[in-house]
Amino acid sequence: MITIKHLSHHFVMGKKGETKLPVLHDLSFSVNKGEVVSIIGRSGSGKSTLLNLISGFIHPTSGEITINGTDVTGFSEAEFADFRLNQIGFIFQNFQLIPSMTAYQNIELPLILKGINENERKKITEQTLERVGLSQYPNHYPGELSGGQQQRVSIARALVLNPPIILADEPTGSLDSETEASLLEFIRQLNQDLNITFLIITHDQEVARIGSRTLEIQDGHLIKGGNSR
Amino acid sequence: MNFKDKWRFVQQNLKKNRVRIFMTVLATAMGTTFLIVLASVGFGLHDTLLKDIMEQDNLNEVSIYGYENEKGEHQYITDQHIEHFESLNNVKTVRRMNYLGQAPNYQVDNFEATAETRSVYFPAEQQAGMALAEGTFPTQANQVVVGYHFADELIPQDVDYDDLYTDDEVRKEETLFSENIIGKTLTFDIEKFDENDDVETTTFEVEVVGIVEEPVQRGWDDSNVYITDMLLNEIAAFTGTHTGSPYPVDDIEDTPTEKSYDNVYLHTHTLEQVQDLTTQLTDEGYYTYSVATEMKQLNMLFTIAKAGLIFIGTIAILIASIGIYNTMTMAVTERAPDIGIMKAIGANPRTIKQIFLLESSYIGLLGALIGTAVAYLISFAVNLGLPLILEAVFEEELPEGFQFSSIPLRLLFVAVAICLIVTIISGSRPAKKATQIDVLQAMKREI
Ligand SMILES: Nc1ncnc2c1ncn2[C@@H]1O[C@H](COP(=O)(O)OP(=O)(O)OP(=O)(O)O)[C@@H](O)[C@H]1O
Ligand SMILES: [Mg+2]
C-alpha cells in the first residue's frame, strides 16, 4: 500500500540556505493493505517529517514514495492535493478543524471539495456523523466540543471520502488516557470493518501497541521494521 | 468543487467582515461613478453637437473651392472640371455658381434696388432642393428669379432716404413695392472701364419669372437676383471679363483668365458617399470641404476627449483597487490557517485561488453596479439642474435638447469592464498568495 525506498531528507536552513540539517537517512519500508502500522521514536527523531513527506506537505531530498501503486515522488502541488483528497485521510494531534465551521460542515468539507452533489453529501455526512457517534452534535462548533469529540469529528472528516489509507500523527497526543483508549479501540474497529490501512505515529509505547507491526526511528535511522538494512 | 459551493464560501467570508467589505465596495462604487459621470459629459456634449449638425440640410454636400495642378499651382474650377464631376458615380448633381463682378442697380416701374447677382445652373439647383415660392425657373437668358426678400429692398426711385421710414423705423406704406414682382421687367446697367478709366455702359432687360422660397434658417434674408449662365455670358461679352467685372483683367490680381466658377457644390446620393467622394477629390488635387468631413473631425476630437476622460476616471478606479488589494490581502492572512487545513485535506490550489478571485470580483461587480446606479442619478440630476442654474446665472437660454451628460450603453459596458478588470487584477495577487500558503506553517496554530 505504501512503499518507501531509500528516502532521505534534510532541511535547508539559514538566510542563504547554507546550513543543511539532515533528518532522515535512507529509509526503506513498506506497509501492506489493511495493516495498522505504528511508527515510534523519541521526540525529534524525524517521525513527523516522515509523515509529511508521505503526505506531500514537503518534498524529499532523495528517495521514492509509492502509495497505492502510484509513484508520487515527482508530483506537483496540485497533483498531490488531488491525490490526498482521493486516497488519504488525516488525523492530526491538534485535530485541525476549521473553527468557524460546525462539526457537520467540517465533515462535509472533503465532499464539497470533491464536488459531490448536495443530496449525496447530506446522506454521507449524516452517516459518518453517526459512525463516529456524534449524531447529536452536528451544529456544534469545534470550540463547543471536548477534545475527544473534536478528534472524532476529525476522524469523521478523514473517513468521509472512504480513503484506502489514513495517516495519523500523534492522534491521542491531546487526549486523556481514557479517551485515548476508546479512540484506539475505534481505530481498530475501522480497520476491521472497512479494511483501511493505518499509519500511526506516536512516541508512546502503549499507543504503539495498536499496530500489528511497529517501525522504530532513531535519529533519522530506521532501526526496526525496515526492508533492508 | 462547483460554483455554488465556492459562492457559499465567499458569502460566509463576506459575512465575517461586513464593515470592511462595505467600505471597499463603497470605494469601488465611487470610482465607477466618477468614471461614468466624467465620461458622460464628453458623450453628452458630443451628442448635442452632433444633433445640431445633423439638423443642417447640406449634409450630402461637398464644396469644391479650387484645384491644385501637378505643378502646385492654384487653379479655378472650369467647365472641364464640372464635366469630370458630373461623370463621377457618387455625384448626384453639381451645383455651380458665380458672383457677378458688379452689383447692378435694378429698376422696375418707378422702383429700384441694388442687389447681389448670382449666376447659377438652375437644373442642378432644382435637383439639389431649391424651390420657388411662386413662378417658374428661367429657361432663357432674359429670365431671372429673385430672392424671397428682393421685393422688400425695392424703394421708389426719387425718394429722399429720410422719408423711407416712420419714426418707429418701419418702412412707410407708400414706399413699399406692393405689386407682384412676377412678370415684371427689371432694367439694369452694366458698366465697363477702359484703360483710361472711362466708363461705358449698356442696358439689359430681364423678366422676373419666379421667387425663391424663404430661407430655412430664420433671420437670413435672400434679396439676390439669380441669373442664368447665358445672361452672365452676355454680360461678360460686353465687359470682356469672365465674371462681368467692370475692370480689365490685369487690373485685379487673381482674376480668372478663363471661364470658371466661384462656388461648386457636389451633392451625393447618400451621406455615406460624402467621405469617399471627399477623399477621392482631395487625392485628385481639389480643395474640398464638407460638413460630413468636419463631423468626422469633430467625432475624432470627441473620441480622443472621451478616451482621456475615461482614462482619468480609470485612475479613480485604480485608487479604489488599492482598497480591494488591501481587503483581499487581509482576508487571505486572516484565513491562512483555514486555507492550510483545506490544502492539507486535498483542496486544489486552483480552487482556493478561484474562491478568492470570486470574492474580489464580487466586490468589484457590486461596486460597479452601485456606482452605475449612482452615476445615472447624478447624470439625470445634472441634466435637469444645470440648465436651470445656467439660465439663472447667465440669463441665457440653452438650445433645445441640450444634454450636458449622457450615458450610452457602450460607456456603461466600458466602465463596468474596466472596473471588473481592475478588481480582478488587484485581487489576483492576494489570491495567488493564498495558494502559496504553506500547509505545515498554517497548521501550527494552537486551538
Ligand atoms: N521545517 C523545519 N525546518 C527545519 N528543521 C525542521 C523542520 N521541521 C522539523 N525540523 C527538525 O527535524 C527534526 C525532526 O523533527 P520532527 O518534527 O520530524 O520530529 P518528531 O519525531 O515528529 O518529534 P516529536 O515527537 O516531538 O513530534 C527535528 O530536529 C526538527 O528540529
Ligand atoms: Mg512530531
Side-chain angles (χ1 to χ4, degrees), chain A residues 44 47-49 93 169-170 201:
Chain A
K47 307 181 297 289
S48 294
T49 305
Q93 177 176 358
D169 191 349
E170 310 270 9
I201 283 180

PDB file of all heavy atoms in Angstrom, chain A residues 44 47-49 93 169-170 201, ligand 2:
ATOM      1  N   GLY A  44      11.864  14.427  18.122  1.00  0.00           N
ATOM      2  CA  GLY A  44      12.940  14.956  17.289  1.00  0.00           C
ATOM      3  C   GLY A  44      13.603  13.905  16.436  1.00  0.00           C
ATOM      4  O   GLY A  44      14.552  14.190  15.713  1.00  0.00           O
ATOM      5  N   LYS A  47       9.880  11.533  13.008  1.00  0.00           N
ATOM      6  CA  LYS A  47       8.625  10.825  12.690  1.00  0.00           C
ATOM      7  C   LYS A  47       7.678  11.719  11.878  1.00  0.00           C
ATOM      8  O   LYS A  47       7.150  11.317  10.829  1.00  0.00           O
ATOM      9  CB  LYS A  47       7.900  10.400  13.988  1.00  0.00           C
ATOM     10  CG  LYS A  47       8.753   9.606  14.951  1.00  0.00           C
ATOM     11  CD  LYS A  47       7.973   9.207  16.188  1.00  0.00           C
ATOM     12  CE  LYS A  47       7.485  10.377  17.024  1.00  0.00           C
ATOM     13  NZ  LYS A  47       8.560  11.097  17.742  1.00  0.00           N
ATOM     14  N   SER A  48       7.452  12.941  12.375  1.00  0.00           N
ATOM     15  CA  SER A  48       6.524  13.847  11.681  1.00  0.00           C
ATOM     16  C   SER A  48       7.047  14.180  10.294  1.00  0.00           C
ATOM     17  O   SER A  48       6.272  14.268   9.331  1.00  0.00           O
ATOM     18  CB  SER A  48       6.330  15.135  12.479  1.00  0.00           C
ATOM     19  OG  SER A  48       5.682  14.860  13.686  1.00  0.00           O
ATOM     20  N   THR A  49       8.375  14.339  10.206  1.00  0.00           N
ATOM     21  CA  THR A  49       8.962  14.643   8.901  1.00  0.00           C
ATOM     22  C   THR A  49       8.649  13.527   7.913  1.00  0.00           C
ATOM     23  O   THR A  49       8.256  13.789   6.770  1.00  0.00           O
ATOM     24  CB  THR A  49      10.475  14.843   9.045  1.00  0.00           C
ATOM     25  OG1 THR A  49      10.719  15.843  10.018  1.00  0.00           O
ATOM     26  CG2 THR A  49      11.108  15.246   7.725  1.00  0.00           C
ATOM     27  N   GLN A  93      -2.717  15.653  15.592  1.00  0.00           N
ATOM     28  CA  GLN A  93      -2.689  15.782  17.047  1.00  0.00           C
ATOM     29  C   GLN A  93      -3.603  16.924  17.503  1.00  0.00           C
ATOM     30  O   GLN A  93      -4.333  16.803  18.466  1.00  0.00           O
ATOM     31  CB  GLN A  93      -1.255  16.040  17.515  1.00  0.00           C
ATOM     32  CG  GLN A  93      -1.175  16.265  19.018  1.00  0.00           C
ATOM     33  CD  GLN A  93       0.265  16.432  19.481  1.00  0.00           C
ATOM     34  OE1 GLN A  93       1.197  16.337  18.702  1.00  0.00           O
ATOM     35  NE2 GLN A  93       0.428  16.645  20.765  1.00  0.00           N
ATOM     36  N   ASP A 169      -0.849  11.513  12.930  1.00  0.00           N
ATOM     37  CA  ASP A 169       0.335  11.992  13.657  1.00  0.00           C
ATOM     38  C   ASP A 169      -0.069  12.297  15.094  1.00  0.00           C
ATOM     39  O   ASP A 169      -0.777  13.259  15.349  1.00  0.00           O
ATOM     40  CB  ASP A 169       0.883  13.249  12.962  1.00  0.00           C
ATOM     41  CG  ASP A 169       2.259  13.633  13.505  1.00  0.00           C
ATOM     42  OD1 ASP A 169       2.670  13.059  14.536  1.00  0.00           O
ATOM     43  OD2 ASP A 169       2.913  14.494  12.884  1.00  0.00           O
ATOM     44  N   GLU A 170       0.368  11.465  16.008  1.00  0.00           N
ATOM     45  CA  GLU A 170       0.043  11.606  17.433  1.00  0.00           C
ATOM     46  C   GLU A 170      -1.455  11.824  17.647  1.00  0.00           C
ATOM     47  O   GLU A 170      -1.863  12.820  18.227  1.00  0.00           O
ATOM     48  CB  GLU A 170       0.795  12.814  18.046  1.00  0.00           C
ATOM     49  CG  GLU A 170       2.266  12.846  17.760  1.00  0.00           C
ATOM     50  CD  GLU A 170       3.091  12.111  18.811  1.00  0.00           C
ATOM     51  OE1 GLU A 170       2.479  11.437  19.671  1.00  0.00           O
ATOM     52  OE2 GLU A 170       4.325  12.193  18.737  1.00  0.00           O
ATOM     53  N   ILE A 201       1.647   7.528  14.028  1.00  0.00           N
ATOM     54  CA  ILE A 201       2.881   7.982  14.650  1.00  0.00           C
ATOM     55  C   ILE A 201       2.642   8.224  16.131  1.00  0.00           C
ATOM     56  O   ILE A 201       1.619   8.806  16.506  1.00  0.00           O
ATOM     57  CB  ILE A 201       3.347   9.282  13.981  1.00  0.00           C
ATOM     58  CG1 ILE A 201       3.973   8.953  12.638  1.00  0.00           C
ATOM     59  CG2 ILE A 201       4.327  10.025  14.862  1.00  0.00           C
ATOM     60  CD1 ILE A 201       4.454  10.160  11.918  1.00  0.00           C
TER      61      ILE A 201
HETATM   62 MG    MG C   2       6.053  15.040  15.555  1.00  0.00          MG
END
